[in-house]
Amino acid sequence: MAKTLLQKVWDLHTVRTLSTGQTQLFIGLHLVHEVTSPQAFDALRARGWKVARTDRTFATVDHIVPTRERTRPFLDVMAEDMITALERNCREFGIRLAGLDDDRQGIVHVIGPELGLTQPGITLACGDSHTSTHGAFGAVAFGIGTSQVRDVLASQCLALEPMKVRRIRVTGKLPEGVYAKDVILTIINRLGVGGGVGYAYEYAGDTIERMSMDERMTICNMSIEGGARVGYVNPDETTFAYLKGRAFAPAGDAFERARAWWRSMASDADARYDDDVVIKAEELTPVVTWGVNPGQSVPVTGRVPSGNEQDADPKAVADALGYMGFKGGEAMAGMKIDVAFIGSCTNSRLSDLREAARIVRGHRVAPHVKALVVPGSVSIKRAAESEGLDQIFRDAGFEWRGAGCSMCLGMNPDKLVGSQVCASSSNRNFKGRQGSPEGRTLLMSPAMVAAAAITGAVTDIRQFEKVS
Amino acid sequence: MAIHRIERIEGTALPMRGDDIDTDRILPARYLRAITFEGMELHLFEDERTGSAGGDRVTSTHPFDDPRFRGATILVVNRNFGCGSSREHAPQGLYRAGFRAVIAESFSEIFFGNSMLIGLACLNASPDQITELQTRVEQRPNLTLRIDVKASMCELGDLRIPLSLPASAKDALLTGAWDTTGMLLDRYEEVTAASEKLPYVAGF
Ligand code: SF4
């Protein structure tokens, strides 16, 4: 019978059906970071359990790390404590750790793929909702909470409910100035922030097939913002080419055998889907969020809704406008920003930085704007520096930082202040998300963040490129 | 881990209206700067209750500061509750503040899973019934809300509302199997056997 990738991976990793009716699924790779793991390790200690598969577990530090001054001990006592706790836990339980002084350190969803740990056909779990990112490789990747981190540490398994699969086919050529970020923001806007609950999203169609791995990761990363815990793209030659030669990818003959198996894991052409959606790439435009969830976006040429629009939820619109301090009907373009942030597991990879640097080259950040670039990993930082991207950003007035989550969630000193408006390449515009209880986030592509940093206001990247 | 069966949950309720209440709101990220879950209950909805200006909770109009709902153990909310971050700190905060159940139109899956694993029961009701329940609780906040997990019903005065939850979740509550680790470690040779069949575990 024809199957989707999800069904194939699910069937292959099923250990058994539990008495609760859930499936016990073997987890091929467990990624661990400092924020959601300490309580899980404590639980293991309390019960005298070991980590079941240290060979299938890998840890790094990202959420809380300072991105400016990294000498130890940190000035931030709590950050020092949390990182020390992870170091101790990894030592005690025998887990590999890409710590702060390790060349492999970075945002967990950036380094998994970079190191070749993330591979097609595997199950993957991490105590972080953006674990869906790894689906770009055709892995089935679950974001989990701390109790489930404990489950995976102790047993290398999860107890899970089956999922339905919605195929989202994006077809056609993306217009100039429209990026993967715009594609996923549009999908979330159309299907709703809760539209994917109970589903895995399979992204397909020629537009997705032409995308690089970096772009596919941007798409899969934000599946969870549409309510889908899992999002994936079928593995193909682009995937295999990316993996070849990576530190943890199979090498030599094993790579060829792996390639054959990976290919066999892709959804069959005649697989059945629980739902099918088509998005026409030609119709897409650059988008910006105006509200307090990632579904609340409009084309950059559009206006902030007033709540009277067809299908609008007037209460939700009023609540968002109240928080954002925007007026219904206000034009998005030209809206003033205070901060520009290029970073996060959505858009901090080398191709994102290259594109942003291409746009800022020869320009200056607007005088009232604080702008920063936070590469997703040490290796991206180095690669960008060797291409001179850091200099381009610095010359333009951007701050160039060390790798980490930074202002995506403001757990380190990089935070918005008061009600600042931030043009951000990250994935969440929730109330208070960037570290200030009144902070306001406008999500957009990194190219648009770069343009906004220069002009000091929300800017249509297509216009910006025409003028300059 | 001791088996803890949850058949009935009783207590007063706290209605909080609005869809898509995310875990960043329930528990702002700066309180994740801790290596235990201790004290999480002190920071529930911190930002919207006090703001960065450091407003005080006496003047807050947030439902969590409404004296009528003090001591509530059941939260009644709308659609897609707990979306966003996977932080278990959010359900931990609710549990530590005394909540034992959340009734919603729908939940984010990660929040649902996290909550069930710590014994915070998550149950669904229809949109109209949620609104009815919220209104009734606001009218008579002292009334005890009674949830019968087995019958999947709740009762508030003369109002009876059917609830739903996945069979496995219901079963987990009734049998106390929501503490999963033990169950997953059971017959571990089956896990080893399953993993050995995977080409990538065998090294291709
Ligand atoms: S970059 Fe942001 S979304 Fe991604 S893992 Fe870090 S905090 Fe989470």
Side-chain angles (χ1 to χ4, degrees), chain A residues 13 16 20 24 28 47 76 78 128 144-148 150-151 154-155 161 198 411 428 430 433 438, chain B residues 1 22 24 33 52 84-86 88 109 114 117 168 179-181 184-188 190 199-200 204:
Chain A
H13 291 77
R16 60 190 157 114
T20 54
Q24 176 168 359
R47 297 181 177 88
D76 178 347
M78 204 57 237
D128 188 279
I144 57 178
T146 299
S147 295
Q148 285 182 310
R150 175 200 65 207
D151 283 355
S155 72
E161 298 283 336
M411 271 189 80
R428 284 187 175 143
F430 296 152
R433 169 71 179 183
E438 281 104 30
Chain B
M1 182 115 183
D22 60 74
D24 274 80
R33 293 161 49 83
S52 64
S85 155
S86 69
E88 191 171 303
E109 281 164 80
N114 283 345
L117 281 171
S168 61
D179 183 32
T180 39
T181 319
L184 295 173
L185 282 172
D186 202 26
R187 293 192 271 153
Y188 203 74
E190 289 179 28
Y200 65 90
F204 291 104

Side-chain angles (χ1 to χ4, degrees), chain A residues 299-349:
Chain A
V300 63
T301 49
R303 293 178 177 279
V304 175
S306 55
N308 310 325
E309 296 78 6
Q310 225 192 334
D311 326 316
D313 174 349
K315 266 182 70 187
V317 172
D319 172 68
L321 291 184
Y323 180 84
M324 297 299 284
F326 297 159
K327 283 192 277 305
E330 227 178 310
M332 262 335 281
M335 211 173 256
K336 207 166 148 265
I337 64 150
D338 305 296
V339 178
F341 171 64
I342 297 177
S344 92
C345 56
T346 314
N347 283 120
S348 65
R349 286 172 284 268

Side-chain angles (χ1 to χ4, degrees), chain A residues 89-313:
Chain A
N89 287 328
C90 286
R91 223 179 303 123
E92 182 179 331
F93 288 93
I95 295 171
R96 294 165 292 177
L97 168 68
L100 212 60
D101 47 4
D102 194 305
D103 287 350
R104 302 170 301 177
Q105 181 262 334
I107 304 174
V108 66
H109 311 309
V110 173
I111 69 156
E114 219 169 60
L115 294 172
L117 285 162
T118 305
Q119 293 173 14
I122 70 170
T123 47
L124 190 156
C126 172
D128 188 279
S129 60
H130 292 101
T131 305
S132 57
T133 313
H134 305 266
F137 290 79
V140 173
F142 304 95
I144 57 178
T146 299
S147 295
Q148 285 182 310
V149 171
R150 175 200 65 207
D151 283 355
V152 182
L153 286 173
S155 72
Q156 200 64 26
C157 291
L158 280 172
L160 290 167
E161 298 283 336
M163 279 174 291
K164 291 180 282 188
V165 184
R166 170 177 292 143
R167 178 169 57 175
I168 301 175
R169 264 180 298 171
V170 188
T171 63
K173 191 173 175 304
L174 282 175
E176 208 56 42
V178 179
Y179 296 87
K181 181 65 156 284
D182 302 302
V183 174
I184 187 62
L185 282 170
T186 305
I187 290 173
I188 298 165
N189 175 270
R190 295 213 189 146
L191 302 180
V193 288
V197 172
Y199 284 96
Y201 279 178
E202 176 178 311
Y203 302 100
D206 58 292
T207 316
I208 304 283
E209 284 163 19
R210 276 191 305 275
M211 282 185 177
S212 68
M213 290 316 295
D214 285 8
E215 293 173 293
R216 294 178 189 183
M217 283 189 257
T218 299
I219 303 256
C220 289
N221 172 273
M222 290 190 73
S223 304
I224 185 66
E225 308 311 334
R229 190 179 193 178
V230 165
Y232 66 88
V233 175
N234 285 306
D236 60 10
E237 285 306 322
T238 306
T239 321
F240 312 146
Y242 178 101
L243 283 168
K244 195 156 196 172
R246 304 253 164 199
F248 290 95
D253 290 350
F255 184 87
E256 292 314 314
R257 286 191 295 274
R259 184 207 295 260
W261 183 71
W262 291 338
R263 188 187 299 286
S264 76
M265 295 303 285
S267 294
D268 297 324
D270 48 349
R272 280 166 173 273
Y273 294 87
D274 300 287
D275 193 26
D276 226 323
V277 173
V278 176
I279 305 266
K280 293 210 170 70
E282 295 93 351
E283 294 170 2
L284 303 185
T285 55
V287 291
V288 183
T289 63
W290 55 269
V292 294
N293 73 51
Q296 293 173 321
S297 64
V298 286
V300 63
T301 49
R303 293 178 177 279
V304 175
S306 55
N308 310 325
E309 296 78 6
Q310 225 192 334
D311 326 316
D313 174 349

Side-chain angles (χ1 to χ4, degrees), chain B residues 6-10 123 146-155 160 163 165 170 174:
Chain B
I6 299 175
E7 288 163 2
R8 289 173 174 284
I9 303 153
E10 296 189 352
L123 306 112
R146 296 192 164 83
I147 299 175
D148 181 334
V149 176
K150 195 159 180 192
S152 299
M153 289 292 293
C154 76
E155 216 180 85
R160 278 172 63 80
L163 301 173
L165 72 167
K170 182 170 172 174
L174 293 173

Side-chain angles (χ1 to χ4, degrees), chain A residues 377-391:
Chain A
S377 68
V378 170
S379 105
I380 290 171
K381 181 169 191 276
R382 298 240 170 98
E385 286 167 356
S386 72
E387 291 181 18
L389 303 184
D390 61 321
Q391 207 49 52

